[in-house]
Amino acid sequence: MPLPPVDDQISIGDLTTNPYSFYRKARAEHPVVTVSAVGRTMLTKAADTKFVKDNWELFSSDDPNTPMRRAFQAHTLMRKDGAAHQRDRTAMASSFSPRNLREVWMPIYEEVADDYIGRLPRGETVDLFSALAAPLSARCLSHLIGLDHVADADLCRWSQTLIDGAGNFGQQQALFDATDSANDEINAAIDVTMTAPEQAGKPHAIAVMLGQEAPLEIEAIRSNIKIVIGGGINEPRDAMLTAIFGLLSNPDQKQVVLDGTTPWLNVFEESIRWVAPIQLSSRRAVEDTQIGDHDIRAGDVLMTIQASANHDEEVIENGHLFDVRRARAPHQAFGNGPHFCLGTHVARKMVADIILPRLFDRFPDMSLDPNQRVAFRGFGFRGPINLPVRLN
Ligand code: HEM
């Protein structure tokens, strides 16, 4: 079979501004395509992205050229396979158990949400990105991981710095200098928690990892916490901003949610389907294989584009439209296979059960500012970069 066709037209800049038009064309004309600008082969159909992620023995998460290792100063669980991956993942999974979510974390998240939403000024226009979504996501996560002694601004900065470093395919030194500093700060903050005797035995992720019968090495504890900082702040932030934007731009949809006809969970799921906060994930073919009508060679790195899978005409009608009333809206925004998002239930409960209902309860008539445009941006990670809203 032939190798995938090569696209040497699209640039990373184009993909950052508007990836969806490229993906739509790719799904129609060349769903498996090697993109010169990123040096990887993109998979744009839902069946292919799922197939690759579900078959970890054939498609490894260990991409040798990923900037993530340099940025995180670690070989993180997201780049490990099999038993090594399971060991790191399981070590902190009990912190996220349904019982802890119900009895420990969600009551705290409710208090935090009441506090942050309660501080928003009624009758004024504010940017909900900086005034609510970013700091609120950071504060919630800080409790779950045991870093509640760290300021919101530092957590947000660390999250963005790590994400920028993990996506630093151009190997820019300035971005790695920033991740080096962030790593020093994060390691120091983790040490504060680890050495405080009163923290032992608590349900947060650091204490849970330390309390294992065979505790993880300090490097693995640090790298797990960094993954959760990079994966657990910007994504709920972007999900809630996308949801608010979607509802405020479609008043008829907002109405069916506020009158109770459509549940908040639909709003959350539709938002991350429509604009996936994590748009893609890489996997390396460990042996020669085929996808669709194309040969894939051992060592080729595949970009599974879940953002495109979520708009695939074969699984969803008019996927480019935000519509909370869909009867079925399957999506892959939380991934597939062994690396399926560990924070799925945390994110669902936080955004759909707590934050969105409270925000719209306090400001049922809030509206988009007609004088400012809301912009979405991002290739690897994507969401609104501003959301100016009049709070009524
Ligand atoms: C709307 C919110 C979120 C979205 C859309 C999202 C999406 C994802 C995706 C797509 C992956 C898989 C990446 C891959 O296959 O390589 C992932 C992994 C992960 N997520 Fe999330 N995430 C969200 C929220 C969270 C939160 C709140 C946490 C933590 C509290 C979290 C923790 C993790 C961790 C630890 C992994 C790595 C799992 C592993 O490699 O085994 N995520 N997430």
Side-chain angles (χ1 to χ4, degrees):
M1 287 189 193
L3 291 172
V6 177
D7 183 297
D8 51 16
Q9 299 297 308
I10 191 84
S11 67
I12 292 187
D14 295 336
L15 289 167
T16 304
T17 319
N18 178 15
Y20 286 103
S21 58
F22 178 77
Y23 299 147
R24 187 175 59 238
K25 196 158 178 283
R27 286 193 304 276
E29 294 172 9
H30 40 68
V32 181
V33 56
T34 301
V35 175
S36 304
V38 294
R40 287 160 162 69
T41 297
M42 289 187 176
L43 309 182
T44 60
K45 296 287 285 178
D48 291 341
T49 55
K50 181 165 165 39
F51 170 73
V52 164
K53 289 220 195 138
D54 282 345
N55 287 284
W56 65 271
E57 280 164 316
L58 200 51
F59 301 101
S60 165
S61 288
D62 191 4
D63 170 2
N65 298 321
T66 172
M68 186 183 227
R69 191 186 280 242
R70 172 71 183 80
F72 281 64
Q73 298 180 348
H75 184 39
T76 73
L77 85 158
M78 286 187 75
R79 302 269 76 94
K80 292 183 184 175
D81 300 315
H85 165 244
Q86 275 309 319
R87 178 171 181 261
D88 287 1
R89 184 174 164 111
T90 314
M92 64 176 165
S94 67
S95 177
F96 301 61
S97 70
R99 187 171 167 193
N100 275 343
L101 285 194
R102 200 176 52 245
E103 293 178 9
V104 184
W105 305 126
M106 290 311 131
I108 294 177
Y109 281 28
E110 284 171 6
E111 266 181 46
V112 174
D114 284 339
D115 178 15
Y116 281 53
I117 293 170
R119 284 192 233 156
L120 291 172
R122 201 181 289 280
E124 289 181 27
T125 298
V126 301
D127 185 346
L128 287 181
F129 184 106
S130 49
L132 184 73
L136 175 51
S137 297
R139 187 62 11 217
C140 288
L141 191 84
S142 74
H143 290 280
L144 183 69
I145 58 180
L147 292 182
D148 55 334
H149 56 87
V150 179
D152 297 344
D154 288 334
L155 288 161
C156 291
R157 179 171 50 82
W158 295 344
S159 171
Q160 194 59 52
T161 306
L162 290 172
I163 284 175
D164 292 345
N168 186 12
F169 289 97
Q171 306 281 327
Q172 292 175 45
Q173 191 53 44
L175 291 182
F176 286 142
D177 290 344
T179 50
D180 285 346
S181 306
N183 272 288
D184 290 344
E185 291 176 57
I186 298 170
N187 292 344
I190 294 173
D191 285 348
V192 169
T193 304
M194 283 179 55
T195 52
E198 72 278 8
Q199 294 293 331
K202 291 211 168 166
H204 59 65
I206 293 178
V208 160
M209 286 191 276
L210 278 175
Q212 299 286 304
E213 226 165 87
L216 286 188
E217 308 73 37
I218 176 77
E219 288 74 22
I221 293 179
R222 286 175 172 169
S223 97
N224 273 0
I225 292 297
K226 288 171 198 167
I227 286 295
V228 178
I229 291 174
I233 297 179
N234 288 17
E235 298 70 12
R237 175 198 75 191
D238 293 346
M240 75 179 87
L241 291 171
T242 301
I244 299 164
F245 174 75
L247 291 182
L248 297 188
S249 346
N250 296 280
D252 51 330
Q253 296 189 40
K254 181 182 138 192
Q255 197 46 49
V256 294
V257 178
L258 294 196
D259 71 17
T261 318
T262 298
W264 283 105
L265 187 58
N266 286 34
V267 179
F268 173 73
E269 300 292 335
E270 175 64 358
S271 303
I272 60 173
R273 182 205 65 75
W274 188 47
V275 182
I278 299 184
Q279 297 249 302
L280 50 91
S281 314
S282 291
R283 298 290 187 268
R284 174 177 51 85
V286 296
E287 55 189 63
D288 290 348
T289 183
Q290 279 112 32
I291 294 181
D293 298 331
H294 301 289
D295 276 342
I296 302 292
R297 293 164 306 194
D300 285 351
V301 177
L302 304 169
M303 264 186 174
T304 65
I305 314 282
Q306 49 258 20
S308 177
N310 292 352
H311 288 205
D312 186 346
E313 295 71 11
E314 272 184 52
V315 287
I316 191 128
E317 214 174 298
N318 288 325
H320 62 293
L321 300 178
F322 177 85
D323 187 354
V324 299
R325 291 164 299 203
R326 294 176 189 279
R328 251 191 98 251
H331 70 74
Q332 301 182 19
F334 286 118
N336 287 296
H339 291 271
F340 187 79
C341 176
L342 195 54
T344 304
H345 298 299
V346 179
R348 275 191 183 130
K349 289 192 173 303
M350 168 185 173
V351 179
D353 292 358
I354 297 179
I355 296 172
L356 292 175
R358 279 171 161 72
L359 181 67
F360 278 86
D361 189 45
R362 177 140 199 257
F363 302 110
D365 297 320
M366 65 183 161
S367 54
L368 293 172
D369 179 350
N371 301 316
Q372 299 183 63
R373 219 182 123 256
V374 174
F376 282 70
R377 194 135 314 146
F379 166 51
F381 295 79
R382 189 170 181 84
I385 54 169
N386 64 332
L387 189 60
V389 164
R390 184 157 182 86
L391 296 172
N392 286 315

